[in-house]
Amino acid sequence: VKPKTKSPTSKTTTSMTSTSTAVLPDDAALLGDQLARWFAGAARDLPWRTDRTPYRVWLSEVMLQQTRVAVVVDYFLRFVTRFPDVGALAAASEDDVLGLWSGLGYYSRGRNLHRAARVVATAHGGQFPSTREALRALPGVGDYTSAAIASLAFGEAVAVVDGNVHRVLMRLCADETPIDTPAGAAKTTMRASALVTSSSTPATINEGLMELGALVCTPRSPSCGSCPWRFSCRAYAHHTPEQYPVKARRTARKALRVACVVVVDGSGRVWLEKRAARGLFGGLWEPPGQIVDVVDDDMTVSARVTDTWHALLVARRIEANLAGVAPVVVTRTLTHRDLRFDVVVARVVGEVDPSGSDGVGRWFARDELHSVGTSTAVRAVFDAALGEVHSPRLV
Ligand code: ADE
């Protein structure tokens, strides 16, 4: 939405003079007041905004990294119902935690969540540390999460910078510094810090910035007409909000092709194996699969896929005839990967005990598949191969 009017020119009293480095286009305390007033009227009623314990702030902020609010709400409610406090989470098994995390993506978050809960339970007597520096020592708690917990749960006047905050502040200042560079990161942090340290309610400033980015100052078609900062915003004045933020690099994705066999036994159970704890999808369950290297020889990729299916079965001493079975293809785009699964269903006769595989494997009944820790990609593989037995929990 292109702004129809230019901002008034009469608001120059504090313009670019609030500090010697001209951090913000208006007085930080004034901008903070405007933001806090807007937040009081516009903030969404989200479950982690009530009963604001450090545990609930931590859990929600870890989930909200990389995942949309609408998706997180359901997962958050399920987590706090099953694990109402950090002690309950620490007492759970990793399989249970990853099972509940299933479908949220970025599974190292779920593994670190569980490890951090155990550290809080054992080394801190079940109480979260209350300073940013102490929080940062917990597994999976970095710059962002430590700042978010310190600010939102403990009121520390520290800037919480996520993608929303970058966008809002780069637009406010019409700043073309790429946000994926140290200079861009430093500028946003400096501006957000100026706002939070000038306010008596730093938590509201941090959350207000994120909320403004989520509701008004959106990546496309921002609603500048309802923005509390429209008369200070440089990008609005220039009719160019969508030109910010600038990024230096585009994300390069690596193409991965995986040959995958969904093994089903005579009673309809599905054979799954657990991945090693570290790396992509670590600790999650999946059907036997292997990356098919695209190498430069005379074998076509599809012949290599077929070969790999057979090799996967042979390695587990599973006898199945794949001739005449129609394969299905499932694709998934992750931040750094383009995944393609070539999937075939192998129906084995009677009771079978696959052996000889590297991973830890076992049979799962169909009705167990929805609660086991799997990636969204593997859920899609189940759906495609087994016919919607495993539709995602979230629509
Ligand atoms: N994104 C990350 N944290 C958030 C929060 N506390 N409120 C709204 N959006 C967010």
Side-chain angles (χ1 to χ4, degrees):
V1 177
K2 285 261 163 80
K4 292 193 180 65
T5 55
K6 281 206 161 196
S7 63
T9 49
S10 56
K11 52 109 193 137
T12 51
T13 45
T14 56
S15 183
M16 297 307 259
T17 58
S18 52
T19 71
S20 57
T21 49
V23 175
L24 292 161
D26 247 324
D27 178 69
L30 172 71
L31 289 168
D33 283 347
Q34 291 169 333
L35 181 64
R37 234 176 297 126
W38 171 83
F39 185 72
R44 287 167 293 180
D45 185 13
L46 297 171
W48 49 87
R49 290 183 175 165
T50 53
D51 186 16
R52 204 150 235 198
T53 62
Y55 172 68
R56 289 166 65 91
V57 170
W58 167 63
L59 183 61
S60 60
E61 293 298 339
V62 170
M63 289 181 167
L64 284 161
Q65 284 169 55
Q66 328 276 4
T67 310
R68 287 175 302 114
V69 166
V71 174
V72 167
V73 168
D74 279 9
Y75 278 88
F76 177 83
L77 291 173
R78 257 187 261 131
F79 255 79
V80 294
T81 303
R82 178 98 167 265
F83 309 121
D85 54 42
V86 70
L89 183 58
S93 72
E94 186 183 272
D95 261 359
D96 279 349
V97 175
L98 291 179
L100 214 51
W101 195 272
S102 216
L104 259 183
Y106 299 90
Y107 297 91
S108 59
R109 293 184 300 171
R111 290 195 301 276
N112 280 330
L113 195 80
H114 185 235
R115 283 169 44 211
R118 294 201 158 171
V119 173
V120 172
T122 54
H124 300 280
Q127 299 294 313
F128 272 85
S130 61
T131 65
R132 184 176 188 194
E133 284 322 303
L135 286 161
R136 209 200 294 261
L138 296 173
V141 177
D143 282 350
Y144 173 83
T145 315
S146 61
I149 305 170
S151 168
L152 303 183
F154 295 108
E156 194 170 318
V158 58
V160 182
V161 175
D162 72 353
N164 285 314
V165 177
H166 270 302
R167 186 170 61 254
V168 168
L169 293 177
M170 287 298 182
R171 284 178 179 172
L172 178 69
C173 304
D175 188 334
E176 290 172 8
T177 313
I179 58 171
D180 53 347
T181 60
K187 281 184 154 181
T188 300
T189 301
M190 187 168 60
R191 290 176 178 134
S193 298
L195 291 165
V196 294
T197 55
S198 313
S199 169
S200 57
T201 55
T204 305
I205 299 300
N206 279 318
E207 207 160 27
L209 278 168
M210 292 193 274
E211 197 76 344
L212 191 65
L215 299 183
V216 172
C217 196
T218 48
R220 272 168 290 286
S221 304
S223 309
C224 299
S226 34
C227 182
W229 283 353
R230 63 193 176 281
F231 299 122
S232 304
C233 182
R234 302 260 145 140
Y236 177 73
H238 298 137
H239 307 271
T240 56
E242 291 195 38
Q243 288 179 22
Y244 307 90
V246 172
K247 280 192 188 163
R249 281 177 287 277
R250 286 191 47 210
T251 308
R253 291 202 184 91
K254 187 174 166 190
L256 279 187
R257 189 155 171 175
V258 181
C260 169
V261 188
V262 175
V263 184
V264 183
D265 79 356
S267 14
R269 297 180 307 170
V270 178
W271 177 258
L272 300 181
E273 294 169 0
K274 190 172 176 154
R275 290 177 69 94
R278 298 199 167 271
L280 185 66
F281 301 141
L284 299 183
W285 293 83
E286 64 182 14
Q290 190 175 311
I291 293 170
V292 179
D293 291 319
V294 181
V295 290
D296 190 16
D297 66 8
D298 55 4
M299 208 167 174
T300 64
V301 182
S302 68
R304 199 175 290 287
V305 166
T306 307
D307 248 30
T308 308
W309 286 332
H310 286 287
L312 288 165
L313 292 172
V314 167
R316 289 159 183 80
R317 306 195 208 297
I318 298 170
E319 278 185 45
N321 184 2
L322 299 182
V325 181
V328 289
V329 173
V330 172
T331 58
R332 228 20 237 144
T333 304
L334 310 179
T335 315
H336 299 291
R337 301 267 196 291
D338 266 328
L339 295 178
R340 172 187 164 134
F341 294 85
D342 290 82
V343 188
V344 73
V345 178
R347 293 189 188 278
V348 297
V349 186
E351 297 280 306
V352 182
D353 183 19
S355 56
S357 63
D358 294 338
V360 187
R362 75 170 178 87
W363 291 105
F364 284 84
R366 286 274 181 107
D367 62 4
E368 284 182 286
L369 293 183
H370 70 274
S371 57
V372 61
T374 58
S375 63
T376 305
V378 164
R379 289 179 177 213
V381 166
F382 290 152
D383 279 353
L386 303 172
E388 301 291 324
V389 295
H390 193 261
S391 38
R393 290 181 214 168
L394 301 165
V395 185

